[in-house]
Amino acid sequence: MTTVTANGTVLGIESFGDHDAPLVLLAGGTTMLSWPDALCEQLAAGGRRVVRYDLRDSGESTTTDPQAPAYTLRDLAADAAALVDALGGRRAHLAGIGVGGMVAQVAVLDHPNAFSALTLIGTRAVAPGPVDEDLPDHDRATMSRLFARAMPDWTDRDAVAAFAAAGAEILGDDPVTARAAAERIWDRTPGTPVQLANQMGVVFARLDCAPRWRERLPGIEVPTLVVHGRRNPFFPVGNGEAIARDIPGARLLVLDEAATAIPCTAVGEVTEAMLRLEQLDRG
């Protein structure tokens, strides 16, 4: 892992594969570790240069006050385009998961010349707050359980890992995988305020996400893959179905056994679908 300066911002990145291969840029959710190692490795084995990166206020990227981030969703989208330029300037296949999926949608809309393909995983087409009538909202019972928990001591590695594992279990994800990822995040994060920011929802809920972008989705012209877990209680599957309807020609892949994360059993299927999307881009 290293850092790159793009759009005047320091972004933590990790690279896989040949630097001369076509670029797949993975925008993190909580951090870049939202993307499984195995998926990065399999994409690289498929002849791609894979770069996963931390959004601002997560992992090793630039941090500010998590309660009052001094940037907008458009700045995060501009970061993605600037990172493509910093990595060589060739158009990239951009993929985003969760919050990173919202960033990816806006990035492709605002900076279409930077990107050749788009993959959106477990996300939705509107910002935090009231959803459109055709979009299912968070599962209330799950959210009540998730947010009723007391915050951990962010200086205690074991407490943070246990908190992440318990949250994953509530959401329907693998708690063992979540615990391991939380330990890795803790090890590469320098301080308590950043640990709070690493929950990302804390930051994202305070970002300026206006204006809306959903109405612009029909203008996306690059090949698009939408992946969604059928058991996702945070962004129920209807959100992914709506994105696939809104973007012309988008392919929808529903993972029947998945919730919010990409389970290890689905890594091969997601990898194959992403590589096939790039073949469409090349004609």
Side-chain angles (χ1 to χ4, degrees):
M1 295 184 184
T2 186
T3 58
V4 170
T5 298
N7 195 29
T9 300
V10 175
L11 300 176
I13 71 166
E14 184 176 18
S15 298
F16 301 77
D18 185 345
H19 279 213
D20 293 327
L23 175 63
V24 179
L25 185 65
L26 306 178
T30 308
T31 72
M32 69 168 75
L33 296 181
S34 299
W35 294 97
D37 293 354
L39 184 137
C40 298
E41 292 162 357
Q42 289 186 27
L43 285 170
R48 303 298 183 270
R49 178 190 182 188
V50 180
V51 176
R52 59 181 177 184
Y53 77 100
D54 298 318
L55 300 180
R56 300 190 197 190
D57 274 312
S58 69
E60 295 184 2
S61 293
T62 292
T63 60
T64 58
D65 178 358
Q67 300 294 338
Y71 52 90
T72 70
L73 177 61
R74 268 72 197 169
D75 293 320
L76 296 178
D79 289 350
L83 183 54
V84 170
D85 190 57
L87 293 171
R90 291 184 297 171
R91 298 176 75 202
H93 177 166
L94 177 63
I97 186 169
V99 168
M102 297 180 185
V103 174
Q105 291 170 66
V106 175
V108 170
L109 288 166
D110 286 0
H111 308 275
N113 293 332
F115 304 106
S116 59
L118 174 65
T119 294
L120 303 169
I121 300 182
T123 190
R124 68 179 185 184
V126 295
V131 294
D132 296 345
E133 289 185 359
D134 65 327
L135 300 180
D137 204 353
H138 312 304
D139 179 77
R140 291 186 178 182
T142 301
M143 295 304 103
S144 294
R145 292 178 61 202
L146 191 67
F147 294 112
R149 302 174 299 150
M151 290 290 107
D153 175 358
W154 296 104
T155 66
D156 184 332
R157 184 178 188 269
D158 289 339
V160 171
F163 182 78
E169 191 162 20
I170 291 170
L171 289 168
D173 295 321
D174 179 17
V176 175
T177 300
R179 174 185 286 274
E183 290 171 343
R184 291 172 66 186
I185 291 169
W186 195 97
D187 290 341
R188 58 191 287 268
T189 304
T192 300
V194 184
Q195 295 291 352
L196 180 60
N198 269 334
Q199 298 308 301
M200 205 58 204
V202 175
V203 172
F204 200 73
R206 289 167 171 75
L207 283 183
D208 178 2
C209 296
R212 282 171 56 96
W213 71 88
R214 185 182 182 190
E215 289 74 16
R216 297 172 60 200
L217 292 182
I220 291 178
E221 297 180 348
V222 298
T224 300
L225 171 68
V226 180
V227 181
H228 216 98
R230 192 176 298 282
R231 296 168 48 234
N232 188 332
F234 198 83
F235 294 139
V237 67
N239 289 278
E241 292 169 341
I243 293 173
R245 288 194 303 269
D246 289 345
I247 299 176
R251 181 197 172 199
L252 176 65
L253 172 61
V254 176
L255 304 176
D256 288 333
E257 300 304 317
T260 69
I262 303 171
C264 60
T265 54
V267 164
E269 186 176 9
V270 174
T271 300
E272 181 181 354
M274 291 179 69
L275 292 174
R276 189 182 308 126
L277 188 70
E278 291 198 342
Q279 292 170 357
L280 290 176
D281 175 53
R282 289 172 174 77

